Amino acid sequence: MNICVIGAGYVGLVTGACFAEFGVHVVIAEKDAEKVDALGRGEIPIYEPGLASLVERNMREGRLAFTTDTAEAVRGALVVFIAVQTPPQQDGSTDLSAVDAVASEIGQALNGYKVIITKSTVPVGTSYRVRDRIRAVAGQGGSEPSFSVASNPEFLREGAAIGDLMRPDRVVIGADDETALAIMQDLYRPLFLNETPFVITNIATAELTKYAANAFLATKISFVNELANLCERIGGDVQAIARGIGLDGRIGKKFLHAGPGFGGSCFPKDTRSAAHFARQAGEQLEIVEAVIRVNEQQRVRMVRKIQDAVGGELAGKTVGILGLSFKPETDDVRDAPALDIIRGLQAGGASVRAFDPVAMRAAAALLPDVSFCKDAYEACEDADAAVIVTEWNPFRMLDLARLRAKLKQPVLVDLRNVYEPESLHKAGFEYHSVGR
Ligand code: NAD
């Protein structure tokens, strides 16, 4: 089968490479010519473990190619995945301009029956919006265009994306007609064979399932962060509480880590988008709206925590920030807590030095007044506090004596609770963490 994936970002690139690995012929259409040139030379524009070798092998074996010519890629495919960005707008709603543009391009290129699948995370109703736009553009010649639309939301986690695509917890497919469903089942046959659970439903339900998943995970995070804040008042230990509740199989251990709140390109935008389109539909998602508020306040609290740790006044202080990406194993800094925390520190008059194993280039474009350093120790040189914002492995095993020698005063603010308070006190640090 020949497929086309439109958009070579985190989702499109990994989706295309994984389908190629399953033996499908994939052309990834990307409008950014520089990205396509780089990919052609074997350079991967994002940091994602395992992706470079997967792309290289499948290109070499002739199953994966990149192009800027979307029309040609669409014409040669039976299945077209839309994997372009769907960023948030000021009011929380989703900017669908990239999806609309792609739908028009598909409409212009349509040359026979195809299944057009929305993989981007989109508000309920968007797959029908895509259908209507394709129909309007393709129908201009007078003939009735032949195609189906379907929804196949993506649940991959950056940093573990290849495993998530090759061995997903589940695949959700929303389709309204048997032909589209049969083609998608054929495409996903390798996963059917290894007994991956499939949830097959209608298009609106599939679209909403993606938001429900992200909103639920975000809820766990905001819930545990509220408990952490309460623990700080009453002398509790949020990690023990997370374990105490997480070992209950009905609750589950994951996503119960107190910290600076959720970030990244998905949870913040998807919770706001869900709250927005639910309100438009006449239903308020009160829990989701509270989750968003708690998350925004958590970033402000983290700035206050750092301010308290450096003596109550940020002006004239230097802070060493360890970690910029929204989580380890990715260079993605979109809506990362580090950005708001750094801006909050700077607004209070502090200077910021920072280090991240892979995200400094992306962060530098957004944070002009930060000194980016070659490692964690250089970032903490003469700083009034070291702050762990992202739990990269190297920050879990810092040479504490060396770190202490670099700092102006031995203050460590651990926003990810990676260290045990007692061992840090023993190492001579004034140690601050979250909810302990
Ligand atoms: P991204 O911004 O990394 O990539 C989007 C790509 O699409 C860019 O390279 C862009 O140049 C390209 N593009 C835009 N318009 C185009 C056009 N007309 N023709 C060809 N290419 C075009 O975005 P992403 O992180 O991959 O996310 C894509 C979608 O998947 C979003 O809706 C997102 O919410 C969803 N999603 C993302 C993740 C994630 O972890 N990043 C996980 C699940 C779902």
Side-chain angles (χ1 to χ4, degrees), residues 9-11 30-31 35 85-86 105 121 158 269 334:
Y10 287 84
V11 168
E30 164 60 55
K31 70 171 186 183
K35 222 183 233 188
Q85 70 275 17
T86 50
E105 289 176 67
T121 302
E158 287 176 18
K269 103 171 150 61
R334 290 178 284 183

Side-chain angles (χ1 to χ4, degrees), residues 27 35 63 102 170 240 272 297 304 335 381 405 417 432:
V27 177
K35 222 183 233 188
R63 288 185 302 270
V102 166
R170 79 311 206 178
R272 289 180 69 215
Q297 286 157 15
R304 218 181 303 137
D335 226 329
E381 186 107 50
N417 291 349
H432 305 261

Side-chain angles (χ1 to χ4, degrees), residues 5-13 28-32 35 46 48 67-68 70 82-87 94 97-99 101-103 105 119-122 153-159 161 210-211 214 265-266 269-270 326-327 332 334:
V5 177
I6 305 180
Y10 287 84
V11 168
L13 193 50
I28 302 185
E30 164 60 55
K31 70 171 186 183
D32 179 342
K35 222 183 233 188
I46 55 170
E48 181 62 46
T67 181
T68 51
T70 303
I82 301 175
V84 297
Q85 70 275 17
T86 50
T94 301
S97 54
V99 172
V102 166
E105 289 176 67
K119 200 166 238 327
S120 298
T121 302
V122 290
E154 183 48 60
F155 298 93
L156 66 79
R157 297 162 299 166
E158 287 176 18
K210 170 66 190 176
Y211 286 95
N214 278 359
S265 68
C266 293
K269 103 171 150 61
D270 293 347
F326 80 98
K327 66 174 184 181
D332 198 343
R334 290 178 284 183

Side-chain angles (χ1 to χ4, degrees), residues 3 15 20 25 60 67 95 97 127 132 136 149 158 198 216 218 223 225 250 280 288 294 297 372 431:
I3 74 167
T15 302
H25 283 92
R60 182 164 34 83
T67 181
D95 175 355
S97 54
S127 298
D132 294 346
V149 291
E158 287 176 18
F198 276 71
F216 190 80
F223 179 82
N225 280 337
R250 294 170 300 177
Q280 280 198 322
V288 177
V294 168
Q297 286 157 15
F372 293 98
Y431 177 71

Side-chain angles (χ1 to χ4, degrees), residues 29 53 72 79 107-108 129 160 163 251 287 295 305 311 334 340 363 368:
S53 56
E72 195 189 307
V79 170
Q108 275 158 12
R129 175 175 165 140
I251 296 174
I287 293 173
N295 196 58
K305 185 184 279 295
R334 290 178 284 183
D340 278 346

Side-chain angles (χ1 to χ4, degrees), residues 115-407:
V115 187
I116 315 299
I117 303 171
T118 318
K119 200 166 238 327
S120 298
T121 302
V122 290
V124 176
T126 303
S127 298
Y128 292 140
R129 175 175 165 140
V130 166
R131 176 197 62 196
D132 294 346
R133 194 170 266 259
I134 295 175
R135 196 176 277 161
V137 174
Q140 277 164 3
S143 60
E144 181 65 17
S146 160
F147 66 99
S148 303
V149 291
S151 164
N152 176 214
E154 183 48 60
F155 298 93
L156 66 79
R157 297 162 299 166
E158 287 176 18
I162 291 168
D164 286 348
L165 261 145
M166 307 286 274
R167 292 174 298 282
D169 288 341
R170 79 311 206 178
V171 174
V172 174
I173 294 178
D176 288 349
D177 66 271
E178 291 300 323
T179 312
L181 187 57
I183 290 171
M184 289 186 75
Q185 283 173 323
D186 191 26
L187 178 61
Y188 271 114
R189 201 172 36 202
L191 296 185
F192 270 106
L193 293 178
N194 76 6
E195 297 186 351
T196 300
F198 276 71
V199 178
I200 292 171
T201 180
N202 64 38
I203 288 179
T205 308
E207 289 172 333
L208 186 54
T209 303
K210 170 66 190 176
Y211 286 95
N214 278 359
F216 190 80
L217 294 171
T219 300
K220 288 184 90 173
I221 296 172
S222 278
F223 179 82
V224 82
N225 280 337
E226 278 202 312
L227 282 177
N229 299 336
L230 180 59
C231 281
E232 290 182 5
R233 296 258 179 204
I234 62 166
D237 177 348
V238 75
Q239 273 186 301
I241 293 174
R243 205 170 136 72
I245 62 174
L247 286 168
D248 183 329
R250 294 170 300 177
I251 296 174
K253 288 184 284 194
K254 292 183 178 163
F255 283 78
L256 287 179
H257 301 287
F262 54 82
S265 68
C266 293
F267 285 11
K269 103 171 150 61
D270 293 347
T271 45
R272 289 180 69 215
S273 176
H276 187 273
F277 70 68
R279 268 181 186 260
Q280 280 198 322
E283 283 298 331
Q284 197 178 338
L285 296 178
E286 297 202 42
I287 293 173
V288 177
E289 292 190 6
V291 163
I292 297 165
R293 280 196 304 278
V294 168
N295 196 58
E296 286 167 355
Q297 286 157 15
Q298 193 68 4
R299 295 180 179 201
V300 179
R301 274 177 186 266
M302 296 301 108
V303 175
R304 218 181 303 137
K305 185 184 279 295
I306 298 164
Q307 179 173 349
D308 290 345
V310 298
E313 184 58 63
L314 286 170
K317 300 282 168 42
T318 300
V319 179
I321 295 286
L322 308 185
L324 296 162
S325 56
F326 80 98
K327 66 174 184 181
E329 301 301 330
T330 179
D331 61 350
D332 198 343
V333 296
R334 290 178 284 183
D335 226 329
L339 301 183
D340 278 346
I341 292 171
I342 288 172
R343 289 182 186 127
L345 295 171
Q346 290 173 327
S351 310
V352 174
R353 299 168 66 76
F355 170 71
D356 186 285
V358 299
M360 289 202 286
R361 204 172 55 159
L366 303 168
L367 298 166
D369 297 322
V370 169
S371 308
F372 293 98
C373 302
K374 74 170 194 312
D375 62 23
Y377 305 97
E378 192 183 283
C380 294
E381 186 107 50
D382 268 333
D384 296 271
V387 181
I388 298 175
V389 183
T390 313
E391 66 278 34
W392 281 97
N393 275 336
F395 305 152
R396 294 176 182 273
M397 345 180 226
L398 290 166
D399 176 340
L400 294 174
R402 187 172 166 209
L403 185 71
R404 218 184 112 178
K406 291 279 180 194
L407 285 162

